[in-house]
Amino acid sequence: MTATLAPLATPVDGTAAAIAAGRRRRARGRAARTLVLAALVVAVFVVSLMVGRTFYGLDEVVRVILGQQVPGASFTVGELRLPRASLGLLAGFAFGIAGVTFQTILRNPLASPDIIGVTWGASAAGVFGVVVLSLSDTGVSLLALAGALATALAIYFLAYRRGFSGARLVLIGIGVAAMLQSVVSWVLSRASDWDMPAAMQWLTGSLNGASWQSVAPLAVASAVLVPLMLAQSRALGALRLGDDTAAALGVRVPVARLALILGSVALLAFATGAAGPIAFVAFMAGPIASRLLGPGASLLLPAGLVGALLVLAADLVGQFAFDARYPVGVVTGALGAPFLVSLLARTARKGRTP
């Protein structure tokens, strides 16, 4: 009679189980922090609908959103505050996703569209549309899209010499940004007195005057592009490890990189066309999301949520925290400048170059 012995658990099996358990624990932690971010965005969005010269309760806001007629609130909330908050939500989300995409592909936290000139391409085209062509909101959005795409493609192909180099792209982008700032200044110098306020308000980055007509192009672009960008999360995570590693993982590096850049540029351009170049949101969202979720996480959705939270909260601060009302871009600029200095200081301590 032969006895059958059960296989004994080996140390290797125990180590593998511990690694798997650690991965599940980290994934649950990241999911929980992402849900908290989403809850904060919803909370600030609702608060922005409730507060103003007249306070409306949550029940009145919900009835307006459901399409019911509420005396006073239907106009104030439905026609003024809801488009403004929706524009802030969508623009912040678009800036966040676009920024973290560039920073991940270039493996440099300083390489956001604000820094490397893509935003300035949209700004130059948008100001030209406002001052010279007197275009509508939709026309300005489309012209800003064309300007951002042309700028991004020009920077990409100028930087592509015997292979792709992130450092070369950042340096060329900074030079192109300086050139486009000169173009914006030249267009503004030719603006008439009645065009100057609209151009300056648009350049500052503002949600003032938001309407459903200005929200619609960005909403349609987000509905199409955000799912496509989120579907590329795996490719973007692989590109963060380097081109050779990404190719070894089965990613078609040139195609994935170009698709991600085009998608993020389109989101950035529609957001800029609708709300203007809100300063430093694209730059700050990715690093903040990375600190919240830790290394190894997919940052597209968290960075979008951080961007939306930054814009909505900054708009509330700009409207109600001071004696005068300030555009949202003034508040994000005041936050982003010290953030940039601290990031440069940390980068210098690590011995890295932009």
Side-chain angles (χ1 to χ4, degrees):
M1 181 177 181
T2 304
T4 302
L5 299 177
L8 297 175
T10 64
V12 174
D13 294 334
T15 303
I19 293 173
R23 286 178 178 171
R24 287 194 295 270
R25 185 173 61 254
R26 288 193 293 274
R28 286 195 296 269
R30 290 166 187 156
R33 288 190 285 273
T34 303
L35 286 176
V36 170
L37 269 177
L40 287 174
V41 170
V42 172
V44 178
F45 181 85
V46 172
V47 169
S48 66
L49 298 180
M50 296 169 63
V51 300
R53 292 185 183 275
T54 304
F55 180 85
Y56 293 101
L58 182 60
D59 58 331
E60 293 174 299
V61 168
V62 172
R63 287 166 57 196
V64 171
I65 292 176
L66 294 177
Q68 299 179 15
Q69 287 297 319
V70 181
S74 290
F75 176 76
T76 305
V77 175
E79 300 298 328
L80 299 179
R81 296 181 189 173
L82 191 56
R84 183 188 188 101
S86 301
L87 180 58
L89 175 72
L90 293 172
F93 198 89
F95 282 129
I97 283 189
V100 79
T101 300
F102 273 90
Q103 289 164 332
T104 304
I105 288 176
L106 300 178
R107 296 187 288 280
N108 190 331
L110 298 176
S112 80
D114 315 61
I115 308 296
I116 64 173
V118 179
T119 303
W120 280 105
S123 299
V127 170
F128 187 82
V130 171
V131 173
V132 179
L133 303 178
S134 301
L135 295 177
S136 63
D137 292 340
T138 303
V140 171
S141 296
L142 293 176
L143 194 60
L145 171 64
L149 283 174
T151 305
L153 290 175
I155 295 172
Y156 183 86
F157 287 114
L158 285 172
Y160 196 91
R161 183 181 180 185
R162 298 175 184 174
F164 180 80
S165 168
R168 190 187 305 139
L169 189 145
V170 171
L171 292 175
I172 290 176
I174 291 173
V176 170
M179 184 184 69
L180 290 171
Q181 289 178 42
S182 301
V183 172
V184 170
S185 300
W186 177 76
V187 174
L188 289 177
S189 70
R190 300 175 62 85
S192 57
D193 292 341
W194 53 86
D195 282 332
M196 183 64 80
M200 289 305 298
Q201 179 179 345
W202 189 84
L203 271 178
T204 304
S206 173
L207 304 181
N208 295 338
S211 64
W212 291 120
Q213 287 75 19
S214 59
V215 174
L218 176 58
V220 172
S222 299
V224 173
L225 294 171
V226 168
L228 294 177
M229 295 287 289
L230 293 177
Q232 295 295 320
S233 293
R234 177 183 170 275
L236 185 62
L239 287 172
R240 179 170 49 190
L241 304 174
D243 290 359
D244 293 339
T245 304
L249 293 172
V251 176
R252 298 172 63 189
V253 173
V255 175
R257 181 190 292 130
L258 191 57
L260 284 163
I261 288 177
L262 289 178
S264 58
V265 167
L267 276 177
L268 181 84
F270 275 104
T272 304
I278 302 176
F280 290 119
V281 175
F283 170 66
M284 291 189 291
I288 293 175
S290 177
R291 283 181 170 271
L292 290 175
L293 270 73
S298 175
L299 295 179
L300 279 178
L301 180 59
L305 293 173
V306 170
L309 186 61
L310 283 173
V311 173
L312 289 172
D315 188 46
L316 279 177
V317 171
Q319 287 190 82
F320 305 115
F322 307 101
D323 294 335
R325 296 194 171 192
Y326 296 99
V328 61
V330 172
V331 180
T332 58
L335 292 173
F339 189 83
L340 173 61
V341 172
S342 67
L343 190 58
L344 285 170
R346 286 202 303 272
T347 303
R349 282 198 298 270
K350 292 178 181 177
R352 294 168 55 186
T353 56

